[in-house]
Amino acid sequence: MYISEINSAKAICVQADMSAAKAFQLIRDVDHTKFPVVDKEGKLVGIVEKSELEDISSSSSPFKELRFSSILSGTKVRDLMNNNVYYAKETDTIWTAALNMKDHRVSILPVVDE
C-alpha cells in the first residue's frame, strides 16, 4: 500500500519567514504538536514544535503575556525550526515510511509531492 492511498489530510504548514507569534496563533488550538515549515515556494524546509513556542512563555512574571507576545513577534519560525527534517513521498510505501520513522527516530514524517 502506498502513502497516496491513505494520505487524505492536508497538513497545517507554517511559513519559515512567518513571525513566531503569527505561527503560534495559527497552531495553538490544534491538537498536533509538530508542524511542517515551508519556504515561499512551498518547499519543506523544517519542522517546528508547538512546545518551542510555548517554552518562550515559561516565565512566571505577571507580564508573561506581554513578554511572550513581544518575543514571539520578533522571532521568525526559521529561528526555532529543526531543519534536519525527514519526509516521505506520496509514492513511498507505508512500510518504507514506517522504517524511515523508526530508523531516524522521528514521530512525524511530512508527505511531499514531486
Side-chain angles (χ1 to χ4, degrees):
M1 182 174 281
Y2 295 95
I3 291 177
S4 61
E5 296 176 63
I6 62 163
N7 184 43
S8 61
K10 183 90 170 150
I12 297 173
C13 298
V14 295
Q15 296 284 327
D17 61 353
M18 180 183 286
S19 77
K22 187 172 181 180
F24 187 66
Q25 288 177 346
L26 177 68
I27 67 175
R28 71 175 165 208
D29 297 327
V30 178
D31 288 335
H32 302 295
T33 59
K34 299 178 184 182
F35 299 85
V37 180
V38 296
D39 64 13
K40 291 177 183 175
E41 290 79 38
K43 180 182 173 194
L44 179 68
V45 293
I47 298 285
V48 69
E49 295 190 33
K50 186 186 285 189
S51 63
E52 291 290 328
L53 302 173
E54 292 170 336
D55 284 349
I56 295 172
S57 70
S58 63
S59 167
S60 59
S61 161
F63 302 106
K64 176 174 141 181
E65 282 301 314
L66 177 62
R67 187 176 81 82
F68 181 52
S69 177
S70 174
I71 292 170
L72 286 181
S73 294
T75 303
K76 299 291 185 190
V77 170
R78 71 174 160 263
D79 299 325
L80 300 173
M81 72 180 193
N82 176 352
N83 59 3
N84 188 19
V85 61
Y86 299 97
Y87 60 89
K89 296 179 184 172
E90 294 178 320
T91 55
D92 289 346
T93 64
I94 295 170
W95 179 251
T96 300
L99 286 176
N100 282 335
M101 290 178 76
K102 179 183 175 279
D103 290 346
H104 298 295
R105 297 180 181 179
V106 295
S107 61
I108 181 174
L109 201 61
V111 178
V112 298
D113 56 19
E114 298 302 321

